[in-house]
Amino acid sequence: MPSTFFGLTIASSGLSAYQVALNTSANNISNVQTKGYSKQQANRVASESIRAYAKYGSMGTGVTTESVKQLRNQYYDNKYWYNQSSVGLYETKLNYLKQIENYFIDDDSSKGFSTILNTMFNDLDTLKNNAGDVNTRQQFIGSAQNFATFFNSVASGLGDIQNNANEEIKSTVQNINSIAEKIASLNHQINVIEIQGGYANELRDQRALLIDELSEIVPTEAEELPVQNSNDPELPTGANYFTVKIGGQVLVDTYDYETLQCVARENKVNQSDMDGLYDVKWEKTGNSFKAGASSMSGTLKALFDIRDGNNGENFTGEARVIDSKHVKVVSPSITDIEAMTVPESGTLTIYGKDYNYTNFTFETDANGKITSYTFELEDALSQQQSNKVDGMQASIGNSVDTMGVPYYMSQMNQFLRSFCSLFNDIMLKGQDLDGNATDYYSFFTGADQVTGEEYALGKSDKNNGNTTDCSASSYYKLTASNICVSSICVKDSSKLAAQYKTDTEDGVDKYKLVEDLAKLKSDTVLFRAGNASGFLKCMISDISIDTQQSTIFSNNYTNIQAALETQRMSVSGVDEDEEALDLIKFQNAYNLSSKMISVMAEVYDKLIEETGV
């Protein structure tokens, strides 16, 4: 039979239980605006009954607070983390695409390509009517310089964007490492507390918030499993294994974590790439972390897409071993000199292995199409390597199916090489103001960015049926970064060709050369089946499609994020009205327990003082 004072024990258990409940509500209310905080709930169960040795058999012993636990739904968490990587991907990509778009704006606020091109050809038309005037000649040369400077500035701006994306990759990788270290530390702290029977609610919230942050950077999976007691599997240990994977690879394994590192490339992947671009590798093993793979998403993927995106147009072909130091690549994917993106020295990947090359030549047929490339390797191939390489697929860089900085640089280079080669071919046939031939220089040329020396480009068809070294002065050397007007004309405008040698008939000057140059603006197909005027339309079309797509997807995934966040908060969020209702409910329960103690006190007073028991 229970003690005479057993009723006090039951009532006091109610006081204790609802005091805990009130404290829990107070904690929830205090953290209503705390980022990442999950609502906590005091879980109560009936205390174990005791044997009463009476007809009713047993008696309840009151209430016990079993635990105070956070409320979270793992399903909603996983869905949220899965969506976050898409949010990070498209928001970051949209931010950079808008920066790229700004360089091709041509309106009242900014003079762009169309305005500069029109000005140059208008000045060319003026030259036809007054070719003997030095000032008119100088005006055209100045507008041509503005044309070249426009491309120089755009190339410089795109280079800055590539460098910015590259530096952001580095800081993002450092952030991943920091998050991994923090999660591993939290895992240890959580297990220390929970092995002792507690529940580390606040620490779990901190860990979940870190995973929220990580999931926006890379695709993230998290799994928690209990540590089994080897002696008694049914007896819980309180400890848990907690694993975090990024891109399907383990980043955190309970107390251990892996780190990533950024390794600067020794060689460029594209001719117009900035120096020192980073590849991401696992620090312990040195294996590559394919953050830019098509199966990836997140902020890091977006940064790689912008920095390395080539629209899937990287160099590929079939490798043929000539000797231990030379590999020929036939059936190349790039057959036009204008479209060449291969760096002068770089890395050729064959059968999954990288081979550095120091130089290459390219062979052209009678139509000027490239039929093969021959690469001079830095290290000689062994016989075994030669056997593995011969006949295998070769490539430089990876196919990145996104229009990033390398793509836009390549498009500008391709346009300029086509336009300038045709422009120069006409100029080479002309004569200057003094009647001298102008076949000894190219009007539009490129300058070595180290020495400042100008390239002697010559005729565009000089490579037909020939083998050309990449270091030779061919239109391959002309890029948006180095295009300029020949210093010969800049220094002396009289050297500018304004007519063919045959343009003087019966003492009357003809200006068919200028008329032929004028046709390059609208009447000559030279870029993507269009004319010079259509270049900007092509660029705007490309960037608009990508920007529009990123905007749509960014909005869609942001809306999904909001919906998932609402679902998560419906479970784990602190609702002020709900907490106010709980306060009243727990206060009433606490008051009832207090009333019970008062009643029991009166009963015991009556029992002790008046019955003399």
Side-chain angles (χ1 to χ4, degrees), residues 422-434:
L422 293 175
F423 197 100
N424 289 343
D425 281 355
I426 295 172
M427 283 285 201
L428 287 168
K429 300 173 184 176
Q431 62 181 6
D432 61 20
L433 192 60
D434 299 324

Side-chain angles (χ1 to χ4, degrees), residues 116-179:
I116 293 171
L117 184 73
N118 290 336
T119 300
M120 184 176 75
F121 277 95
N122 288 339
D123 290 342
L124 181 66
D125 189 60
T126 303
L127 181 67
K128 181 175 68 173
N129 300 321
N130 197 10
D133 183 63
V134 174
N135 292 330
T136 303
R137 286 170 164 265
Q138 193 61 52
Q139 183 176 343
F140 169 71
I141 293 171
S143 61
Q145 286 181 294
N146 290 338
F147 175 81
T149 301
F150 166 78
F151 283 97
N152 295 159
S153 64
V154 173
S156 176
L158 292 181
D160 289 341
I161 290 175
Q162 189 176 49
N163 272 331
N164 291 341
N166 191 53
E167 288 304 312
E168 195 170 346
I169 286 172
K170 184 177 182 180
S171 63
T172 302
V173 166
Q174 291 172 344
N175 192 23
I176 291 174
N177 292 339
S178 176
I179 290 172

